[in-house]
């Protein structure tokens, strides 16, 4: 864009197809700037070769832009300044000592990862309307040390997470989805007693010992959620309830859980994602009846469990109730006999 004698700016009103090298500035200490209103495609390299640190590619369109990146090298910063957002069409790795500024709009990951693990990388401009949107399988990948690290992510709303290691440092990928599922990443949606968000945390190398802090707003809370008596729940085959805490009295609300040494989905619940954490549920034919057995790993205010039956797995009817154990962290075994099963296949479920 120039020889470094003075700052240079290139405004592109259409698309940019980059197959070779775009050097934002060559020499001296001045910076080069590219303002792109269209889409970015191609497998080329975006770089700079000055002693300046401000060379920036800005996405400033007025409708949704797509970005397919080849390679970014040296100190090339990125800025999102488009209220309609920018949608990734490739993985994106930021080089060392660069800045990703989210002035306006979302950076949508889709199925791609945004990796910002090199030294000296930082975010700017993050807000409730400008963040990294984890709207697919893609994750934001950051380095985490003993200093609390914010993952500025969200989907329908801004729901960042914060990770802190007890010692040393390592790399983690994180995403958030706008629902809580019974089996962590599968099963029916849990529609009461929870914050309707699931944060999925993955260790790129080693887990270590982590403190996980989750943030939400009142509009994310499902009916029956009690903010003043809530916990960070961790799915490990069952929803493992964390210590009871208080999410706070003013937005944004947040809650932490320390000593985390394994990773999988997390959510915030009041008493857990369910009144019971179910470990096993079986139905077996026994002569002319059906014997149902199940085990709970823990229970919270569990008065009873209703046993329901269906011929089509759609319409269920209650056929009996089994008294629960109230609140317990000890495994409990239960059984129920259906003395008159329906002809053909029978489907059973428990309801709290």
């Amino acid at each position: 864009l120039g020889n470094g004698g003075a700052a240079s700016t290139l405004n592109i009103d259409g698309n940019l197809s980059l197959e070779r090298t775009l050097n934002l500035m060559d020499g001296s200490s001045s910076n080069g700037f590219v303002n792109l209103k269209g889409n970015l495609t191609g497998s080329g390299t975006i770089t700079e070769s000055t002693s300046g640190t401000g060379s920036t590619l800005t996405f400033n369109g007025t409708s949704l832009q797509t970005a397919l990146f080849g390679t970014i090298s040296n100190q090339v910063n990125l800025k999102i300044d488009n209220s309609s957002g920018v949608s990734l069409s490739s993985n994106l790795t930021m080089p060392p000592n660069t800045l990703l500024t989210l002035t306006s709009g979302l950076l949508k990951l889709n199925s791609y990862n945004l990796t910002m693990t090199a030294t000296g990388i930082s975010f700017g401009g993050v807000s409730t309307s400008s963040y990294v949107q984890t709207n697919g399988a893609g994750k934001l990948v950051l380095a985490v040390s003993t200093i609390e690290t914010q993952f500025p992510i969200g989907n329908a709303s801004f729901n960042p997470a914060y990770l802190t290691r007890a010692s040393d440092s390592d790399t983690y990928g994180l995403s958030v989805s706008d629902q809580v599922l019974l089996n962590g990443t599968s099963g029916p949606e849990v529609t009461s007693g929870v914050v309707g968000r699931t944060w999925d945390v993955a260790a790129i190398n080693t887990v270590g010992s982590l403190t996980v802090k989750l943030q939400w707003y009142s509009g994310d809370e499902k009916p029956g959620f009690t903010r003043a008596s809530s916990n960070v729940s961790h799915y490990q085959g069952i929803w493992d309830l964390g210590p009871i805490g208080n999410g706070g009295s003013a937005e944004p609300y947040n809650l932490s859980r320390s000593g985390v040494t394994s990773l999988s989905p997390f959510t915030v619940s009041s008493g857990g994602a369910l009144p019971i954490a179910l470990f096993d549920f079986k139905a077996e034919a026994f002569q002319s009846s059906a014997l149902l057995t199940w085990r709970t790993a823990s229970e919270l205010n569990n008065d009873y469990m209703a046993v329901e039956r269906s011929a089509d797995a759609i319409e269920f009817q209650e056929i009996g109730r089994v008294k629960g154990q109230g609140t317990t962290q000890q495994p409990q075994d239960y059984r129920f006999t259906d003395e008159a099963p329906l002809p053909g296949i029978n489907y059973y479920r428990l309801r709290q």
Side-chain angles (χ1 to χ4, degrees), residues 67-142:
L68 190 156
F69 287 92
T71 301
I72 301 179
S73 65
N74 297 334
Q75 286 187 257
V76 175
N77 305 300
L78 294 181
K79 180 185 290 187
I80 308 299
D81 191 10
N82 178 353
S83 60
S84 296
V86 174
S87 181
L88 285 187
S89 299
S90 66
N91 293 322
L92 171 58
T93 299
M94 294 289 290
N97 303 308
T98 53
L99 176 66
L100 173 57
T101 302
L102 303 172
T103 301
S104 175
L106 309 180
L107 177 57
K108 303 171 184 288
L109 295 190
N110 302 309
S111 59
Y112 304 101
N113 291 336
L114 168 60
T115 301
M116 300 178 62
T117 56
T119 57
I121 292 179
S122 59
F123 281 97
V126 173
S127 70
T128 56
S129 59
S130 302
Y131 53 86
V132 177
Q133 185 182 40
T134 57
N135 57 329
K139 283 182 164 52
L140 173 60
V141 181
L142 300 178

